[in-house]
Amino acid sequence: MKKLLSTAVIAATVLAAPVLTPAASAAPASEIHPDWSGLDARDYSGPIPDQHGTLITSVPLSPRIARTDFPRNPTPTRFLYSAATQHSASGLSTALLYRPSRPAPPGGYPIVAFAHGTSGIADECTPSANSYRPNIAIEADFLQRLLDAGYAVVATDYAGAGTPGTQSYVNTDVEGKNVIDSVIAARALGVPLAHRWAVAGYSQGGGAAVGAAHVVSAYAPHERPGYRGAISLAGPANLELLLPLLGPGVLPVNVDAVNPRFTLYVALALTSLREAHPELHLNSYLTAQGRRILDEAAETCLSDINDLGEFNHLVLGDLFARPLGTVPGLAATIRAMAGSPTVGVTGPLLLMQGLIDTDVPLTTSNVTTAPALRANGTNVEVVITPADTHLTLIQHAVPDTLRFLSRNLAPVTRPAR
C-alpha cells in the first residue's frame, strides 16, 4: 500500500508546471480580463485553410501587454493560423512573434519557437491574451534573455486556447505540431526571419518541444533542413504508467502540503483525455464530484487556483468511482497522446531537470528517456541541476540554453553597418 501511495503521489505531481512566481499572489477568476488585441478568435467561423501553418490574420499586441512584458523590444505581433488539433479536422491557434531590439542579421533573425508551461485550458487563460507579469514572470524573463541574445521568438498558445475547441493539454503530438505550425505561419508576417529555427519548451511545453522533435521530419519535411534542435526544461514523461494507478482511495489523503496545484493538473489532463477520446467513457469512472471537478478545471486558470477552494483540500481518491486502470486500452491511449517519444526523435536534444523539482520529479521527467533516445540514435544531452526546483530551473537554464542555441542554431552576429 505504501508503494502504491508513493507512486500515486508522483502521478499527481508530475502532470504540469506552476505558473505562479513565489512572490505572486493569485488573482480570482473575476479579475482575469483577457486582452485579445482586437483579434478575438474564440468564436471564429470563417474559412480555415486545409494547410496547417497558414497565416490567417495578424494584429499588433495590445500596447498595455507589450509595455508590461517587453518594453525594450518592438511591439510583438499576435497572429491567427491554421493548426493541427487532437481531432482529424483542421483547427486554429494563435501565437506571438517577438523581435529583438537589434537589427536583423544577414539572412534574418534565427527563430526560437517557445512552448509555454501550464496556464489552464480555458480561453481566458490564453497566454497571448494576458500579460506574463507578474504571474508568469519567470517565462517572460527567460524569453527576454533570448531576445537580448538576438533570437526572434515565436510563442504558440496551442490549438483550442482562445480558439474553437479544447486545448490538447499534455498532448505531445498535437502540441509539437502546433509549435511547428506557428513557425511556418510566422514567416508570412513580413519580418526578416531566418530559415534556421529551434524549439525551447518549459514543463507542459517541454513535452511539446520533444513532440516537435519527434514529428518534424514526417509532419513538415520542408522545415527539416532548417530545424536545429529542441530544449526541454522539466518536461514530463511516463504519464501512461502513472495515470492508470488512480482510482477510489488513491490518494486517500489530502496532499496539498506536497503540491497545492496537483488536483488541477490531474483534472486538466483527464479533461483533455475525455474530450479527445469519448469512446473511453471516462465519466463513468468518476464520481459526481469528479465530473464536476473536471468540468470546473476546464474553466480555471492556474493564476486563480488559490482562490477556488474546491480545488484545495481535496482527497483525490474521492473523484473516482472505479480504478482508471480498468479503462480498456487506457495506457496505450495515453502513450499515443501524451507519451514522451524515444523513437524517431530528431536531434540534437537538450533535456534539463531540477533535482528537487516536486512538480515534475526527476523520476517522472523526460530525462529518464535519455538512454532510450540515445539507443535509438538521437543526439541527446542531459543536464540535472542539484539545487533547482521547478520554478528556479527555468531561471537558471539560460546559460545552457544559450550555449545549446549558439552551438546548434549558430551564434547571432550584428549586421555590418
CSV table of all heavy atoms in Angstrom, one decimal, residues 1 35 80 111 117 147 193 216 224 229 242 260 265 276 318 325 343 346 376 379 387 404:
chain,number,residue,atom,x,y,z
A,1,MET,N,0.8,-1.2,0.0
A,1,MET,CA,0.0,0.0,0.0
A,1,MET,C,0.9,1.3,0.0
A,1,MET,O,0.6,2.2,-0.7
A,1,MET,CB,-0.9,0.0,1.2
A,1,MET,CG,-1.8,1.2,1.3
A,1,MET,SD,-2.9,1.3,-0.1
A,1,MET,CE,-3.8,2.8,0.2
A,35,ASP,N,-7.1,40.4,-22.9
A,35,ASP,CA,-7.0,41.4,-23.9
A,35,ASP,C,-6.6,40.8,-25.2
A,35,ASP,O,-5.5,40.4,-25.4
A,35,ASP,CB,-5.9,42.5,-23.4
A,35,ASP,CG,-5.9,43.7,-24.4
A,35,ASP,OD1,-6.4,43.6,-25.5
A,35,ASP,OD2,-5.4,44.7,-23.9
A,80,LEU,N,-3.1,34.7,-36.0
A,80,LEU,CA,-4.0,33.5,-36.0
A,80,LEU,C,-3.6,32.7,-37.2
A,80,LEU,O,-3.4,33.2,-38.3
A,80,LEU,CB,-5.5,34.0,-36.2
A,80,LEU,CG,-6.5,32.9,-36.4
A,80,LEU,CD1,-6.7,32.2,-35.0
A,80,LEU,CD2,-7.9,33.5,-36.8
A,111,ILE,N,15.2,31.7,-35.3
A,111,ILE,CA,13.9,31.6,-34.6
A,111,ILE,C,14.1,30.6,-33.5
A,111,ILE,O,14.6,29.5,-33.7
A,111,ILE,CB,12.8,31.2,-35.5
A,111,ILE,CG1,12.6,32.2,-36.7
A,111,ILE,CG2,11.5,31.0,-34.7
A,111,ILE,CD1,11.7,31.6,-37.8
A,117,GLY,N,4.6,26.7,-20.4
A,117,GLY,CA,4.1,25.8,-19.4
A,117,GLY,C,2.6,26.0,-19.1
A,117,GLY,O,1.9,26.8,-19.8
A,147,LEU,N,15.6,37.1,-26.5
A,147,LEU,CA,15.6,38.3,-27.4
A,147,LEU,C,16.8,39.2,-27.3
A,147,LEU,O,17.3,39.6,-28.3
A,147,LEU,CB,14.3,39.2,-26.9
A,147,LEU,CG,13.0,38.5,-27.2
A,147,LEU,CD1,11.9,39.3,-26.5
A,147,LEU,CD2,12.7,38.4,-28.7
A,193,LEU,N,13.0,36.8,-41.0
A,193,LEU,CA,13.2,35.6,-40.2
A,193,LEU,C,14.1,34.7,-41.0
A,193,LEU,O,13.9,34.4,-42.2
A,193,LEU,CB,11.9,35.0,-39.8
A,193,LEU,CG,11.0,35.8,-39.0
A,193,LEU,CD1,9.7,35.0,-38.7
A,193,LEU,CD2,11.6,36.2,-37.6
A,216,VAL,N,8.8,16.4,-36.6
A,216,VAL,CA,9.2,17.4,-37.7
A,216,VAL,C,9.5,16.8,-39.0
A,216,VAL,O,9.1,17.3,-40.0
A,216,VAL,CB,10.3,18.3,-37.1
A,216,VAL,CG1,11.6,17.5,-36.8
A,216,VAL,CG2,10.6,19.4,-38.1
A,224,ARG,N,12.5,20.6,-42.1
A,224,ARG,CA,13.5,19.8,-41.5
A,224,ARG,C,14.9,20.3,-41.8
A,224,ARG,O,15.7,20.4,-40.9
A,224,ARG,CB,13.4,18.3,-42.1
A,224,ARG,CG,14.5,17.4,-41.6
A,224,ARG,CD,14.6,17.2,-40.1
A,224,ARG,NE,15.8,16.5,-39.6
A,224,ARG,CZ,16.9,17.1,-39.3
A,224,ARG,NH1,17.1,18.4,-39.4
A,224,ARG,NH2,17.9,16.4,-38.9
A,229,GLY,N,17.2,21.7,-33.5
A,229,GLY,CA,17.2,21.0,-32.2
A,229,GLY,C,16.1,21.5,-31.3
A,229,GLY,O,15.4,22.5,-31.6
A,242,LEU,N,1.5,6.2,-15.0
A,242,LEU,CA,1.1,6.8,-13.7
A,242,LEU,C,-0.4,7.1,-13.6
A,242,LEU,O,-1.0,6.7,-12.6
A,242,LEU,CB,1.8,8.1,-13.5
A,242,LEU,CG,3.4,8.0,-13.5
A,242,LEU,CD1,4.0,9.4,-13.5
A,242,LEU,CD2,3.8,7.2,-12.3
A,260,PRO,N,0.0,22.1,-3.8
A,260,PRO,CA,-1.4,22.5,-3.7
A,260,PRO,C,-2.1,22.6,-5.1
A,260,PRO,O,-3.3,22.8,-5.2
A,260,PRO,CB,-1.3,23.9,-3.1
A,260,PRO,CG,0.1,24.4,-3.4
A,260,PRO,CD,0.9,23.1,-3.4
A,265,TYR,N,-3.9,19.8,-12.0
A,265,TYR,CA,-3.1,19.2,-13.0
A,265,TYR,C,-3.7,17.9,-13.5
A,265,TYR,O,-3.9,17.6,-14.7
A,265,TYR,CB,-1.7,18.9,-12.5
A,265,TYR,CG,-0.9,20.1,-12.1
A,265,TYR,CD1,0.2,20.0,-11.2
A,265,TYR,CD2,-1.2,21.4,-12.5
A,265,TYR,CE1,0.9,21.1,-10.8
A,265,TYR,CE2,-0.5,22.5,-12.1
A,265,TYR,CZ,0.6,22.3,-11.3
A,265,TYR,OH,1.3,23.4,-10.9
A,276,ALA,N,-10.7,14.2,-26.0
A,276,ALA,CA,-10.1,13.6,-27.2
A,276,ALA,C,-10.6,12.2,-27.5
A,276,ALA,O,-10.6,11.8,-28.6
A,276,ALA,CB,-8.6,13.6,-27.0
A,318,ASP,N,-11.4,10.5,-3.9
A,318,ASP,CA,-12.8,10.7,-3.9
A,318,ASP,C,-13.4,11.1,-5.2
A,318,ASP,O,-14.6,11.1,-5.4
A,318,ASP,CB,-13.2,11.8,-2.9
A,318,ASP,CG,-12.9,11.4,-1.4
A,318,ASP,OD1,-12.7,10.2,-1.2
A,318,ASP,OD2,-12.9,12.3,-0.6
A,325,GLY,N,-7.3,2.2,-14.0
A,325,GLY,CA,-6.5,1.1,-14.6
A,325,GLY,C,-7.4,0.1,-15.3
A,325,GLY,O,-7.0,-0.7,-16.1
A,343,VAL,N,11.6,7.1,-30.1
A,343,VAL,CA,12.0,6.5,-31.4
A,343,VAL,C,11.7,7.6,-32.4
A,343,VAL,O,10.6,8.2,-32.4
A,343,VAL,CB,11.2,5.3,-31.7
A,343,VAL,CG1,11.5,4.7,-33.1
A,343,VAL,CG2,11.5,4.2,-30.7
A,346,THR,N,14.3,13.6,-33.8
A,346,THR,CA,15.3,14.3,-34.5
A,346,THR,C,16.1,15.2,-33.5
A,346,THR,O,15.5,16.0,-32.8
A,346,THR,CB,14.8,15.2,-35.6
A,346,THR,OG1,14.0,14.3,-36.5
A,346,THR,CG2,15.9,15.8,-36.4
A,376,ASN,N,18.4,4.8,-29.7
A,376,ASN,CA,17.7,4.9,-30.9
A,376,ASN,C,18.2,5.9,-31.9
A,376,ASN,O,17.6,6.3,-32.9
A,376,ASN,CB,16.2,5.1,-30.7
A,376,ASN,CG,15.5,3.9,-30.1
A,376,ASN,OD1,15.7,2.8,-30.5
A,376,ASN,ND2,14.7,4.1,-29.1
A,379,ASN,N,20.8,12.3,-30.8
A,379,ASN,CA,21.9,13.1,-30.1
A,379,ASN,C,21.3,13.8,-28.9
A,379,ASN,O,20.6,14.9,-29.1
A,379,ASN,CB,22.6,14.0,-31.0
A,379,ASN,CG,23.7,14.9,-30.4
A,379,ASN,OD1,24.0,14.7,-29.2
A,379,ASN,ND2,24.1,15.9,-31.1
A,387,ALA,N,20.3,21.9,-7.3
A,387,ALA,CA,19.6,22.8,-6.3
A,387,ALA,C,18.4,23.4,-6.9
A,387,ALA,O,17.8,24.3,-6.3
A,387,ALA,CB,20.6,23.9,-5.9
A,404,PHE,N,23.5,25.9,-26.0
A,404,PHE,CA,22.9,25.0,-27.0
A,404,PHE,C,22.5,25.7,-28.3
A,404,PHE,O,22.8,25.2,-29.4
A,404,PHE,CB,21.7,24.3,-26.4
A,404,PHE,CG,21.0,23.3,-27.3
A,404,PHE,CD1,21.3,22.0,-27.2
A,404,PHE,CD2,20.0,23.8,-28.1
A,404,PHE,CE1,20.7,21.1,-28.1
A,404,PHE,CE2,19.3,22.9,-28.9
A,404,PHE,CZ,19.7,21.5,-28.9
